[in-house]
Amino acid sequence: MIAMNTPLQTKPLPASPDARLSAADALSSLSSLTDSREAVANRFTTPMWYKVSVSVGFAIATMLVWALWGGIFSSLSDLQIILCGVAITAVGVVFEVVLVWKMERRGIHWLTMPATPSGWLYGVMAPFVGIGTMTVPIWCNGMAWWMALIAAVIGGIATLLLMNMCDAAMRDYIVAGGSMDKVRLDGDDRRDDKGNELWTRARLLALPDEERRETARRLIAPVWLHPAIGLEAMLCIVSALEVVSLFKIGSHAGGFIIPVGSFVLIYALDTAVTRWTRNAKVDTRMMPASPVSWVLFFAMAVTCLIPVYFAGYGFGFTLRSGNVPLADLAVGGLVYVVLFSIFGQLYDRRRYSDIVKGV
């Protein structure tokens, strides 16, 4: 029996795991977390070879503009200038598609909006500087080749620095623990509502018939989605050509109203498309599953040659006359938006039908 005035002997409680964690272990854990975030940042920032390639491309384009406008090809006819503009645009698009394809093969999320205000500033300034450098031979009419070369080199370096600064802002944001969920535009890991697993074709086909039919409805885009994408592409072209026109003739009735207004509409359309894609959890990398789906997919892709042509046509026309061919762009843009929307809707519905049938 224990006496009343005898102090109760108790064993000290064992130290908690957190308390036993040494400073070295904590430092190691922090270093591991930082390394993990650095690895994530590497997948959300463009590699140096891409940024150098784009910067060199802008520099080469500047020299081509000099050659077409005031250099060795200045004696070409209006039609020849327009055809050169179409050829340059087509080569540039193919060049960019190849670079993006290489990044996708390496698992880089290239389709991502800037996550911070500074990132937005640098990200918007980079293409403006690149395109603006291309207009230097226009408003400095008659400049020597070496002057155009200096402008091209300076513009290319400035574009490279701005792209680096945009990526640095993105990297700092990710390393600090920022989430990329709200700024991602690509669709390689859209999640389902249950097991937090990837929506793949194999998972869809493994579902019971009724559930598969209900889930596959997410793949059907709303009626406004494809027209919004097409309109956004044409607005990008008009905005770029208006900037070229402003540098070419100094000022005109539209001033900066059309480029600024186009940018606002582009941002609104892009936000709407991105929000639907994210909320619908659509896997945008799901490839066609049947011959008919492939035909519709390629038909939709072929219509994208229309804005490529009109971008080159508008560039050549604006380069020679100083005026943007808005009427031609409006007609061509309408044709493109209608065709792209029709084939897009048919493709989405055929893809839904293939999944429901278990193709």
Side-chain angles (χ1 to χ4, degrees), residues 251-308:
S251 62
H252 56 81
F256 281 99
I257 296 178
I258 295 180
V260 173
S262 297
F263 176 77
V264 173
L265 285 175
I266 290 169
Y267 178 78
L269 292 171
D270 191 66
T271 301
V273 172
T274 303
R275 183 173 297 172
W276 178 85
T277 305
R278 181 179 293 115
N279 292 341
K281 301 175 182 177
V282 176
D283 182 3
T284 57
R285 296 189 182 186
M286 189 177 296
M287 299 304 294
S290 66
V292 175
S293 293
W294 273 109
V295 170
L296 293 172
F297 176 79
F298 279 116
M300 184 172 58
V302 167
T303 62
C304 295
L305 295 176
I306 297 176
V308 173

Side-chain angles (χ1 to χ4, degrees), residues 219-242:
L219 301 179
I220 301 180
V223 177
W224 57 266
L225 189 74
H226 290 95
I229 295 174
L231 182 59
E232 183 179 357
M234 295 306 299
L235 285 174
C236 289
I237 295 172
V238 172
S239 300
L241 294 180
E242 284 292 338

Side-chain angles (χ1 to χ4, degrees), residues 55-70 88 129-138 143 145 147-156 159 315 319:
S55 301
V56 171
F58 275 124
I60 293 175
T62 301
M63 295 305 298
L64 289 174
V65 171
W66 171 83
L68 290 173
W69 175 242
I88 292 171
V129 169
I131 296 174
T133 304
M134 292 169 54
T135 65
V136 170
I138 300 175
M143 66 190 310
W145 68 268
M147 297 175 63
L149 181 60
I150 292 175
V153 171
I154 293 176
T159 303
F315 174 68
L319 189 65

